[in-house]
Amino acid sequence: MISGDSIVALSSGRLPAGVAVIRISGPKSRFVIEMIAGTMVKNRVAAYRKFKAPDGSVLDRGVVVFFAGPNSFTGEDIAEFHVHGGRAVVARMLETIAGFDGVRHAEPGEFTRRAFLNGKVDLIETEALADLVNAETEAQRRFAVQNAEGVQSELYLSWRRRLIHARAMIEAEIDFAEEDDVPGSVAETVWADVRAMIGEIERHVGGFRAAEIIRDGFEVVILGAPNAGKSSLFNALARREAAIVTEEPGTTRDLLEVVLNLEGMRVRVTDTAGLRATPGRIEAIGIERARSKAGTADLLLVLEDMVDPVPIGAIPADIPALKIGTKVDLLQDRSSAPAARYDAAISTKDGTGLAKLLAEIGHRAAAQIGQAGDILPSRLRHVELLNETKRFLRAAVTEDERGQELRAEELRLAADRLGRIVGAVDVEDMLDVIFAQFCIGK
């Protein structure tokens, strides 16, 4: 579906920059090159040219590249102008190009949307491109690249093909049961495969938490009594004065968060208010927030002052926790530290135990993510549609008294939900939401 108009946008990073890339997609791409670069350039060959406005004034000197459709990112003709990355240069180039009839500024995600509508990418690959642009860690990059290459799409499409085949076999048995080329008792084989597929989908959906950790981060919450060293540890992990540290109890009253990159994984560490039995009114709000945050964590760091330990009461029993002894530097005899009581003993003053603690957090985060090659559902949208798929499949295999016709309809509905994940069926109602996540120029 080639669009009637052409779009233009800055497709490179924030200005100013050494080089800026201005991208055009649509039928006017050739015309724009000829008007600005003077003559047309060869397909997929970079050419160094002087860029001029229609009035003959020089805009810049740079490189122009042309990609003829349908063999381009969007499936349309695409032109790219590589110019100097000054704000004035880019603004003048965009103003000039958008001034031609039939060329307008692109909306957020419009280049990728055209690629989808022209069959260059499916919805999952589209979402993976957004993840790739936003990737901050190596784990996020690997996950996005894997999905952009189509492995997740192929899994869902393979399930969909199996369901279409299963439905065809059931309907063939219904309509042509007496024909020689329709195998007898085909339903038994079909329903066995559907049951196996339910288990495959359940195991796949079970990996969504790992995908959430890759995309959003491994959640670490620091708990402890007032003055147990929580904010000092938080600052040490952040490597800056992110939290105020004083000897006055109750200094931290709100949740403070810092994002770490540990061994290529995103880890979010949250500092919380000190937990004690008799807080003030405002401090009590902070304590309530701390306990609420602890209930959603992937890992708790429960800090205790080794010199003056103070109990903090119950912590969530279902959340993994490390008990950390702090202020080991203040012990007169470090060898007498009650090591059996703690998973780690640290000092934020001299750095004792911090590297080991960071390594343990990274190890736990990696364990939650699992194998790097696992195919995981990357969006809540996928999980919701997969759960609907399971519901239809369960109805098909358990409600055998309904007759083969109605059970075959359940298979059709299940295949429809799988198709919606990758965009193989009508998903117009989702497109605006999905492509609004993109930056302009992508």
Side-chain angles (χ1 to χ4, degrees):
M1 188 200 77
I2 304 300
S3 176
D5 58 355
S6 298
I7 54 175
V8 60
L10 173 68
S11 289
S12 52
R14 182 179 301 177
L15 303 176
V19 175
V21 178
I22 296 172
R23 176 186 286 175
I24 311 159
S25 181
K28 288 285 188 176
S29 298
R30 295 172 184 263
F31 172 77
V32 171
I33 290 177
E34 291 174 351
M35 292 297 295
I36 291 182
T39 58
M40 189 55 193
V41 298
K42 293 182 179 180
N43 184 37
R44 296 179 177 271
V45 176
Y48 180 72
R49 297 291 175 83
K50 180 186 290 185
F51 302 143
K52 293 183 178 181
D55 62 6
S57 61
V58 176
L59 300 171
D60 195 11
R61 290 177 180 269
V63 172
V64 60
V65 188
F66 176 69
F67 303 91
N71 298 318
S72 68
F73 172 64
T74 63
E76 305 172 333
D77 286 351
I78 285 182
E80 287 186 355
F81 292 93
H82 297 227
V83 299
H84 293 93
R87 291 188 177 91
V89 173
V90 171
R92 187 73 176 94
M93 285 287 294
L94 290 173
E95 178 185 8
T96 300
I97 295 170
F100 294 117
D101 289 339
V103 183
R104 60 174 175 81
H105 292 286
E107 299 293 331
E110 192 168 3
F111 286 93
T112 308
R113 183 168 186 152
R114 291 189 177 201
F116 168 74
L117 294 175
N118 290 327
K120 307 300 288 188
V121 292
D122 62 31
L123 279 185
I124 292 179
E125 292 166 344
T126 293
E127 291 166 329
L129 288 174
D131 287 342
L132 192 58
V133 170
N134 295 319
E136 298 176 343
T137 67
E138 176 61 15
Q140 290 173 335
R141 185 199 65 80
R142 289 198 305 266
F143 187 52
V145 167
Q146 183 185 48
N147 290 334
E149 290 180 344
V151 293
Q152 190 181 353
S153 298
E154 179 53 34
L155 175 64
Y156 300 153
L157 289 173
S158 70
W159 284 336
R160 186 167 182 261
R161 287 192 294 267
R162 284 164 64 183
L163 289 181
I164 292 172
H165 178 264
R167 182 185 169 204
M169 290 296 98
I170 293 298
E171 293 181 349
E173 188 175 72
I174 294 170
D175 296 335
F176 308 106
E178 297 180 358
E179 298 293 332
D180 292 338
D181 56 349
V182 177
S185 301
V186 69
E188 183 178 342
T189 302
V190 166
W191 298 126
D193 186 55
V194 171
R195 290 187 185 92
M197 192 183 305
I198 292 173
E200 294 171 20
I201 294 174
E202 285 180 338
R203 288 189 293 274
H204 177 70
V205 170
F208 181 56
R209 180 56 192 147
E212 283 187 308
I213 291 174
I214 292 173
R215 295 182 71 246
D216 301 329
F218 183 73
E219 189 81 46
V220 178
V221 175
I222 303 174
L223 297 177
N227 285 347
K230 300 183 303 302
S231 295
S232 295
L233 175 60
F234 182 75
N235 288 342
L237 296 179
R239 297 185 179 181
R240 59 186 174 88
E241 294 298 316
I244 299 174
V245 178
T246 72
E247 295 182 359
E248 179 181 345
T251 300
T252 301
R253 297 186 176 184
D254 208 347
L255 302 179
L256 301 176
E257 182 179 284
V258 67
V259 177
L260 308 179
N261 187 336
L262 296 183
E263 302 297 329
M265 292 169 291
R266 192 171 194 260
V267 176
R268 299 204 315 265
V269 181
T270 302
D271 186 20
T272 63
L275 306 181
R276 57 176 172 174
T278 58
R281 184 171 61 88
I282 296 178
E283 189 182 351
I285 297 174
I287 291 175
E288 178 60 30
R289 290 180 179 178
R291 293 195 179 278
S292 176
K293 186 70 172 178
T296 63
D298 296 304
L299 177 65
L300 300 177
L301 301 183
V302 183
L303 273 57
E304 186 174 273
D305 186 339
M306 298 176 71
V307 178
D308 183 20
V310 176
I312 61 171
I315 61 173
D318 57 337
I319 306 294
L322 292 175
K323 190 168 185 180
I324 312 297
T326 63
K327 306 181 184 179
V328 67
D329 58 292
L330 298 181
L331 295 177
Q332 293 183 353
D333 182 5
R334 295 194 183 193
S335 63
S336 65
R341 291 178 52 189
Y342 303 106
D343 296 301
I346 66 169
S347 168
T348 58
K349 293 292 185 182
D350 61 20
T352 299
L354 293 181
K356 183 179 178 181
L357 177 59
L358 280 171
E360 179 63 21
I361 295 172
H363 172 74
R364 299 220 175 195
Q368 286 284 333
I369 291 174
Q371 297 298 319
D374 290 347
I375 302 175
L376 307 173
S378 55
R379 289 288 194 285
L380 181 59
R381 177 182 76 86
H382 307 165
V383 173
E384 291 172 345
L385 288 168
L386 287 168
N387 284 332
E388 289 187 33
T389 301
K390 284 194 303 177
R391 179 166 57 83
F392 290 123
L393 294 182
R394 285 201 178 100
V397 298
T398 59
E399 300 177 11
D400 52 359
E401 72 282 355
R402 298 175 63 194
Q404 297 286 56
E405 294 89 346
L406 292 179
R407 297 174 77 188
E409 175 64 9
E410 299 287 0
L411 296 182
R412 185 192 70 80
L413 293 172
D416 172 81
R417 295 315 186 268
L418 290 172
R420 285 175 176 268
I421 300 178
V422 297
V425 296
D426 182 27
V427 290
E428 185 64 31
D429 55 337
M430 304 181 197
L431 296 187
D432 290 340
V433 174
I434 290 174
F435 290 104
Q437 304 172 45
F438 283 80
C439 57
I440 293 175
K442 186 56 181 169

